[in-house]
Amino acid sequence: LAKTTQPISMDSYEGQEVNITCSHNNIATNDYITWYQQFPSQGPRFIIQGYKTKVTNEVASLFIPADRKSSTLSLPRVSLSDTAVYYCLVGDDAAGNKLTFGGGTRVLVKP
Amino acid sequence: KAGVTQTPRYLIKTRGQQVTLSCSPISGHRSVSWYQQTPGQGLQFLFEYFSETQRNKGNFPGRFSGRQFSNSRSEMNVSTLELGDSALYLCASSPQGTRGYTFGSGTRLTVV
């Protein structure tokens, strides 16, 4: 699976938009980009997945440029409850569940 | 619908003992995978089972094993426990061929 690089931590304030960028220079043609959210002592929770351009759901947007070597997770108007670790994963997980998690980005939302 | 259920939630074992953890996937999900999470190593893939067969395996010693039953429920076993096996063990399930896996809340194992 392609290795990913993302910031270790980010601070934000309630109501702001948080953008987390993930680099994945050696992404393969069949790879998808997936983001998970994890709260302490809980399992990761699927947020969003995309292949190219832009994907939006009720909680986040995912922006993927044409070369697909990076992606940006956008969390609109964050609240205190969005404080968590966010993981960017790249791979073709339809071929079986063998997800490779990096270190993730610890997002702290302040009041 | 019910999520992924892991039991027990917490467990304390002594070094040298063995332990069995259980995972009940979401109804209809045939793939069950296991992960170990520690502060030092982060989230690491252990193995995946699909239709009672191990389909993928991570880089863990043979002390870590698992199995899947015909109803898709899965168990993982760790023998000869070491202090370093203390971790949060997570199970994830998915239907065949879909992306985005659902994780359980995990079993917190402490080895003393």
Side-chain angles (χ1 to χ4, degrees), chain A residues 30-70:
Chain A
N30 293 334
D31 288 343
Y32 278 69
I33 300 155
T34 312
W35 286 80
Y36 283 85
Q37 174 194 55
Q38 186 179 28
F39 299 112
S41 297
Q42 292 187 29
R45 182 178 74 104
F46 173 87
I47 300 175
I48 197 166
Q49 186 177 69
Y51 184 80
K52 62 180 179 181
T53 63
K54 177 183 175 182
V55 180
T56 298
N57 62 24
E58 63 276 7
V59 299
S61 294
L62 179 59
F63 299 92
I64 306 168
D67 65 6
R68 305 203 324 124
K69 294 185 182 300
S70 68

Side-chain angles (χ1 to χ4, degrees), chain A residues 30-34 36 38-46 49 85 87 89 91-103, chain B residues 9-10 31-33 35 37 42-45 47-48 55-56 88 90 92-94 96-106 108:
Chain A
N30 293 334
D31 288 343
Y32 278 69
I33 300 155
T34 312
Y36 283 85
Q38 186 179 28
F39 299 112
S41 297
Q42 292 187 29
R45 182 178 74 104
F46 173 87
Q49 186 177 69
V85 178
Y87 294 96
L89 285 77
D92 184 11
D93 59 359
N97 187 344
K98 44 184 177 180
L99 302 177
T100 299
F101 285 82
Chain B
R9 285 283 283 135
Y10 301 93
S31 165
V32 174
S33 56
Y35 291 80
Q37 186 171 30
L43 267 158
Q44 293 185 288
F45 171 73
F47 30 67
E48 182 209 10
R55 183 160 69 173
N56 290 292
L88 180 66
L90 293 159
S93 77
S94 79
Q96 177 184 12
T98 62
R99 299 177 171 89
Y101 295 86
T102 303
F103 282 80
S105 295
R108 172 76 62 185

